[in-house]
């Protein structure tokens, strides 16, 4: 995949169909399977964050163009106008572009930025709120945080490696943790890592499991600071 930083607010991707398939996706999934297209999009955004320091903050405008050999995706950080209702695309006059929002991607972004609305519609408001995926750039960061957090009973935490990064899947049991306790644990985890949209299903299929169920306690036992 090629990543080009257009300006402060815009990044362009080119990803071939071969690259898409090597990542474990098919063309049909990208266009017709919402969950799988979401996985690919946020995987691309994770790489843009790592390589170009392109952080997602707020709404996005997206253009997706299907080419003969792949996809071209242009992502721009949008800005709310003063009335708080409409969006403005912050591109200079000499680089004006038309950014139609692809319907599939629009619904995907709505799912990411407005999860409560979708959960209410599906009647699953609490189902996903206790599960998180945290990405660490190196193993030393995970060792450090594992020594910070102790006595995490009744919290499943599994560690995976995938494409040179480390991913911690955490699943809190609601009857054992209050909202404040969950917030405290997450705040510590996010000092060393960052939340990612890579799913547990993708890691289970393509990643390597390092420790399942009790990773933080086991790693802190075997690796000193």
């Amino acid at each position: 995949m090629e990543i080009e930083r257009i300006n402060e607010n815009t990044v362009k991707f080119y990803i071939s169909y071969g690259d898409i398939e090597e990542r474990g996706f098919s063309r049909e999934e990208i266009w017709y399977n919402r969950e799988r297209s979401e996985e690919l999009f946020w995987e691309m955004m994770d790489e843009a964050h790592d390589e170009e320091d392109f952080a997602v903050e707020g709404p996005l405008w997206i253009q997706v163009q299907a080419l003969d050999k792949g996809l071209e995706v242009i992502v721009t950080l949008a800005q709310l106008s003063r009335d708080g209702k409409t969006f403005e695309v912050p591109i200079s006059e000499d680089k004006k572009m038309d950014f139609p929002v692809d319907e599939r991607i629009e619904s995907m972004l709505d799912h990411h930025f407005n999860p409560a609305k979708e959960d209410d519609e599906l009647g699953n408001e609490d189902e996903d709120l206790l599960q998180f995926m945290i990405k660490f750039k190196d193993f030393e960061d995970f060792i450090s945080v594992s020594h910070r957090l102790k006595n995490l009973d009744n919290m499943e935490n599994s560690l995976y490696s995938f494409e040179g990064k480390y991913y911690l899947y955490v699943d809190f049991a609601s009857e054992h943790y209050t909202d404040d306790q969950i917030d405290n644990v997450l705040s510590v985890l996010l000092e060393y890592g960052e939340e990612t949209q890579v799913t547990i299903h993708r890691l289970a299929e393509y990643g390597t499991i390092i420790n399942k169920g009790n990773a933080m306690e086991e790693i802190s036992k075997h690796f000193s600071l």
Side-chain angles (χ1 to χ4, degrees):
M1 182 176 72
E2 299 176 6
I3 303 175
E4 179 184 354
R5 187 67 176 265
I6 304 299
N7 57 34
E8 180 181 357
N9 302 295
T10 305
V11 66
K12 180 168 71 175
F13 303 92
Y14 172 75
I15 183 168
S16 68
Y17 292 122
D19 192 359
I20 290 173
E21 292 173 356
E22 287 180 3
R23 293 167 182 262
F25 302 90
S26 68
R27 297 191 196 188
E28 291 75 16
E29 286 177 324
I30 297 307
W31 293 113
Y32 302 111
N33 185 314
R34 172 176 170 170
E35 181 178 347
R36 294 289 281 165
S37 63
E38 181 177 354
E39 281 188 51
L40 177 61
F41 179 81
W42 290 112
E43 185 175 305
M44 293 164 64
M45 293 301 292
D46 278 345
E47 292 186 26
H49 176 70
D50 290 342
E51 295 182 21
E52 300 290 341
D53 195 26
F54 188 78
V56 176
E57 297 178 353
L60 302 175
W61 284 76
I62 298 167
Q63 182 184 49
V64 181
Q65 182 176 0
L67 305 176
D68 289 340
K69 296 183 179 181
L71 299 177
E72 183 180 84
V73 183
I74 300 176
V75 180
T76 295
L77 302 178
Q79 295 178 332
L80 287 172
S81 64
R82 291 185 179 181
D83 62 10
K85 296 179 181 179
T86 59
F87 294 109
E88 299 172 349
V89 182
I91 299 180
S92 61
E93 289 296 320
D94 60 336
K95 293 186 178 180
K96 282 188 174 180
M97 297 181 183
D98 178 32
F99 280 78
V101 180
D102 183 90
E103 183 177 350
R104 288 176 294 272
I105 303 295
E106 184 181 42
S107 64
M108 182 187 76
L109 294 173
D110 188 62
H111 170 70
H112 179 75
F113 288 108
N114 301 288
K117 180 179 74 174
E118 182 171 283
D119 288 337
D120 287 341
E121 292 173 354
L122 298 175
N124 297 324
E125 185 171 359
D126 295 328
E127 183 175 342
D128 295 326
L129 298 182
L130 303 178
Q131 301 169 346
F132 302 88
M133 186 72 72
I134 310 297
K135 179 176 71 173
F136 299 89
K137 291 186 176 180
D138 55 54
F139 191 57
E140 286 72 17
D141 286 341
F142 181 75
I143 293 174
S144 297
V145 76
S146 71
H147 284 273
R148 284 274 308 273
L149 294 171
K150 301 291 185 180
N151 302 318
L152 297 177
D153 297 329
N154 302 303
M155 186 194 82
E156 177 186 348
N157 56 106
S158 301
L159 184 64
Y160 295 80
S161 65
F162 178 61
E163 295 184 343
K165 301 291 190 299
Y166 294 87
Y167 295 82
L168 179 69
Y169 173 73
V170 294
D171 188 354
F172 295 91
S174 58
E175 65 270 22
H176 296 288
Y177 288 89
T178 66
D179 290 345
D180 286 343
Q181 289 173 323
I182 293 174
D183 287 343
N184 290 337
V185 171
L186 288 175
S187 66
V188 175
L189 289 173
L190 293 175
E191 288 182 31
Y192 297 86
E194 60 185 2
E195 192 172 5
T196 176
Q197 298 300 319
V198 174
T199 67
I200 184 62
H201 309 292
R202 181 161 175 75
L203 291 176
E205 185 169 359
Y206 298 102
T208 300
I209 182 69
I210 296 176
N211 183 279
K212 186 173 179 61
N214 197 22
M216 301 189 73
E217 181 177 345
E218 290 300 315
I219 294 300
S220 65
K221 285 180 180 178
H222 293 92
F223 294 87
S224 60
L225 290 174

